[in-house]
Structures are given as structure tokens and as C-alpha cells.
Amino acid sequence: DRFMSVQEAFRWLSDPSQRTVYDGIGSKFGKDALYDFTDDPILGKLSEVTAIGKVMHASHMVNKCRRELARGGKDQAVRIDYNQKDKRNRFRKWGAERISWVRDFFGAELRRVLDYPRVIKELHPFERLSVELSLHCHMQEGGLAFGKLMGALKTLRAKVTEEGSMRAYHVKRAERGRDATLMADAAIEELYNIMLAHEPVIQQFSEAQYCIFQTPCIDLDKPTVVFVGAPNVGKSSLVRSISTGRPEVKNEVFTTKRLTVGHIWHFVRGTPLLVQGQIVDSPGLRVGIGGNHNLFDQLTMGSLQHLPTAVVFVFDPLSWYTLLTLDEQIELRESLRNQFPKRPWLDVITKVDLAEETDLGCDEDAIKGIERLSALYPEAIKVSALEGTGLAELNMEVRRLLEEMTRVVRQLQRAKIRQMRLGMAREPVTKEALSMRELV
């Protein structure tokens, strides 16, 4: 009966016409008024980089141009002007217009992707780090540098524009109408050949663009918990165990090279709200605050510095498979906690199955590490992703963190709404979490 009443209340409050009744009053479910939750994007998503569509391959571009030109271009703009009485001028004009249309068609397709430098410069700091890391991994896998590809496409666009303009100029001054038509056909084929000759460059750019599209999309309107720790301590296994995230799991360091986002549903106490939270698996940290961070470290630190997130710090009591000893892991945890003292926090000791008695005995080093960590952090949860030990307790604690972050996100949303009502929200919405991260 209690469950059904909660579900009925949730359906009632999900009605948009009923949300406005209790908006901001908070007399029924508490002063936080979390029940006036909305699915409308207020803080926004970190997905601006995907606004630029995927570039077509050169062969696809040429074929599309052929089809459009055969139909007379967009809005039938490239047609023979029979109002022109002079036949020579009529075909001069038609030939020049066809060349200009093909030139502008390729130029528009290339101009769209050449807008990447401006878009990346205006990205949210966290999303910029994600894009840089994706392109760095693409280069390590044998791809060309993104800057060189952009330079090659810029040169290609300039060449197409110059060749098309020069050919159109000569067609306008052809001696006969037949010559103008033949010259225009040859010019269009030349533009096609130029594009097809640069097919390898466009394919390389398409592969780099695919890596950019693989960057995680963080929704600032959803509560977020990020798993942090040294490399190969078992963060990915825990994320797979409690959320929909499917990060790659291997017995080697730096398996996780980008953020992986999973989701989990949770109720907010005192309200009938069922809210979707985000669980983020981050690359392993080698050094703490002020250290020499590589791109992987910068991405993990960016998820803490630039996003309103709760933190789950994962310890490995047996440091055989990690880059950091137990002392270094403790030092890393303390440096992060000192940097973010107000952040909702949870300590987790993983791989506790190593301390269990087996036919081959138990690992004394693992037992000593668990005992030391338990003494330093009495509230830490002991889990094993292999045997499922402590996963239920971890699941409940992560939901508690998500509940806290739901209240923080709601505060950020309200602050944004107030700014929008006062006409003060001039900066991009995605900057709001950065400027107000002191709340967490």
C-alpha cells in the first residue's frame, strides 16, 4: 500500500500542470522542495562539441553534388536562363553558375568542420580536457595530429575556392556558348578530382572526429558520483557492478583511458521522486594536487574541479598490481580531501577477497593493508567485485551520495533560474557548475 501511494503521488507530481502548484513553496515534502524537479535542461549538457555533424567522405560528397547539380541545385537555382536573349551570354552565365554552385557546395561542407577550433576554444573546461584526451589516444593509436588534418582541410578548401573562381571567370569570357558549356563541364570534373584526391585526408579526419564523438556526455542537471583512485585498483569493476556503465576491465594499469558514464535510479527521501543519477569511472590518478599531471590525470582532476560531483575513493590494500604503494594511495586521498573538504565523500576498500582463507592460505600483506586502512578510515566500506562482498552496502551508500548531489543540483538550478529571471544569465549555461562549485 505504501509503495502504491508513493507511485500515485509520483504520477500526480509528474503532471506538468500540477508542478506549478507547489513550485517553490515546500510545505508538503520539506523546505528543499525537491518535488518540483523538472526534466527540462536548465544547467545544460556538456555536448556542444557534437553539434558539428560528421564530415562526409569525398566520394559521398562528390556523388551528392552530382545528384543535386543534375536537379538544378538547391531550389532549382542552377537553370538555363531563357530570358537571356543572347545565346552566347545565356550559356556563359549557366556555365559560370554551375561552377560557382559546385565550388560553394564543397566550400560549405568543409567550412562546417573548419569551425572546430572556435568550438573547442569555447567548450566547458572539463569537456575540453575530454576532447584533448580523445585526440591524444587517437594519435597514440596511429592517427594523424588533429591540427595537421585541420590545416590540410583548410588548404583543400582554399584550393577548391581558387580553382572554381578562376574557372568561372574564364567561362564568363568564352568566345562561344558551346565553348562555355564544355569549359564548365571540364571545370566541374576538375573540382571533383581535387576532392577525390584528398579522400585519405578526409577519411583520417573522419576517424579523428569519431574519437571526438566518443567523449562522454555529462548532464549537469543530473546528480553525479565519480569513482577516483590509483590505476588498477578496481574502479571499473565496481562501476560495472552497481550501474549501467560498461568500462573495459583488464589486469593492467591505465586500462581506463577516458571517462565512462553509467546510470542508476534512486529515490529522494521525503519525496516521491525517482531520479536518474550518473556514475562516472575515471582514469587512475598517479599524483595528487600540484603534481606533474598527464592528460589522464588532468581529466580525472577536471571531473572534480569543474563538475559538481560526489567522490568515491577506492583503495587497493595490496599494491602489487597498482603503480602506487599503500602509503602513496593514502597520501593521494588526503591531498584530494584537503582540496575538496566540502565534497560528499565515500572511502572504499576493494579486493577484500584476497584476505579470505583459501586452500592456499591467505595473503598476509592484504590483511595488514585492510587493517591499516580500516583503522585510518573506520567508515570505509569493504567490497569485492569478484565475490560480490559489500556491493549491496556500496549500492546504498552511492544512492545516498546521489541524494545529496540531487539537492546540490537543485540549488544550482534554482540559482540559474533566478539569474534567467533577472536577465543575468548571459554566460553559457555549462559554465554555471564551474562558477558555483563552492556549494559542494
Side-chain angles (χ1 to χ4, degrees), residues 220-239:
L220 297 180
D221 290 292
K222 294 180 181 178
T224 306
V225 173
V226 58
F227 278 64
V228 180
N232 205 32
V233 296
K235 302 183 295 296
S236 300
S237 299
L238 297 180
V239 170

Side-chain angles (χ1 to χ4, degrees), residues 160-179:
V160 169
T161 302
E162 180 181 358
E163 184 71 19
S165 300
M166 181 189 68
R167 294 296 187 101
Y169 175 83
H170 289 299
V171 167
K172 287 181 179 179
R173 286 156 180 77
E175 294 184 359
R176 295 183 301 172
R178 183 184 297 273
D179 293 340

Side-chain angles (χ1 to χ4, degrees), residues 241-258:
S241 300
I242 66 171
S243 74
T244 61
R246 289 296 176 264
E248 187 178 4
V249 176
K250 290 182 180 179
N251 190 19
E252 58 185 50
V253 296
F254 294 120
T255 300
T256 303
K257 296 182 179 180
R258 55 173 59 92

Side-chain angles (χ1 to χ4, degrees), residues 376-388:
L376 289 174
Y377 311 108
E379 298 182 357
I381 300 177
K382 304 178 183 64
V383 300
S384 170
L386 180 63
E387 298 184 352

